[in-house]
Amino acid sequence: MLLLLLGIVLLHIAALVLLFVSTIVSAWTTGSTSSSDLWNNCSTTNGGYHCDLANTGEWIQVVQALMILSIIFSFISFFLFFCQLFTLPKGGRFFLTGVFQILASLFVMSGAVIYTVMSPKWVPDSEAFGWAYIMAWVAFPLALISGLIYVILRKRE
């Protein structure tokens, strides 16, 4: 049982770290002369470096909010897990923890989908999706799986 709890905690921490790093790193789309993320769209033109802030469109602010909400909900879920671990009666399920983690996974999925659909209007066509964007997509199934494990998990003696 202790190894199972350790595995679940490590899975949750991995998802939380991926969410946090993918939100703050500036590599959602990258190209030879430009890069963009959730906060800036930077490019090099005629030897000069120019950055546009991400407050120019409502859709990018929605993606920012969804990614931040996913981090907050995942952190709340992690906190609730430890609270429930010590207060939940024997045989009880970690429903509240699981619900918050599943919501975190749905937020990150929604943010990544919106960014996928809307980013061609904000970044040049020569750019490709970067590693931070991929990390956000990897965080989605990890958070979803950990949330489902929490819902199924029963507290033992």
Side-chain angles (χ1 to χ4, degrees):
M1 184 65 182
L2 189 59
L3 287 175
L4 178 65
L5 289 177
L6 181 63
I8 292 169
V9 167
L10 290 177
L11 180 64
H12 194 130
I13 289 173
L16 189 58
V17 167
L18 286 174
L19 287 172
F20 188 72
V21 170
S22 67
T23 302
I24 62 172
V25 172
S26 63
W28 277 60
T29 54
T30 58
S32 60
T33 61
S34 60
S35 68
S36 62
D37 62 354
L38 302 180
W39 314 103
N40 291 315
N41 184 2
C42 299
S43 61
T44 305
T45 53
N46 299 329
Y49 195 70
H50 180 330
C51 289
D52 293 326
L53 291 178
N55 60 3
T56 57
E58 291 84 15
W59 70 269
I60 194 72
Q61 292 175 351
V62 170
V63 175
Q64 290 169 351
L66 286 170
M67 291 301 292
I68 290 171
L69 279 173
S70 70
I71 292 169
I72 291 170
F73 272 55
S74 186
F75 184 76
I76 290 171
S77 174
F78 192 66
F79 179 74
L80 285 174
F81 173 69
F82 283 108
C83 290
Q84 286 184 320
L85 189 61
F86 296 111
T87 61
L88 199 66
K90 306 291 187 223
R93 292 185 184 246
F94 295 87
F95 280 123
L96 191 59
T97 300
V99 166
F100 271 89
Q101 188 68 358
I102 290 171
L103 284 173
S105 73
L106 294 177
F107 287 149
V108 70
M109 181 202 63
S110 300
V113 165
I114 292 170
Y115 191 87
T116 303
V117 171
M118 299 300 290
S119 65
K121 298 177 181 176
W122 192 47
V123 297
D125 292 333
S126 62
E127 289 190 10
F129 290 113
W131 59 271
Y133 171 81
I134 295 169
M135 283 178 67
W137 275 113
V138 170
F140 160 63
L142 290 180
L144 183 62
I145 290 168
S146 69
L148 292 174
I149 289 173
Y150 284 134
V151 169
I152 295 169
L153 186 66
R154 283 187 186 271
K155 185 174 179 185
R156 286 188 166 173
E157 295 181 16

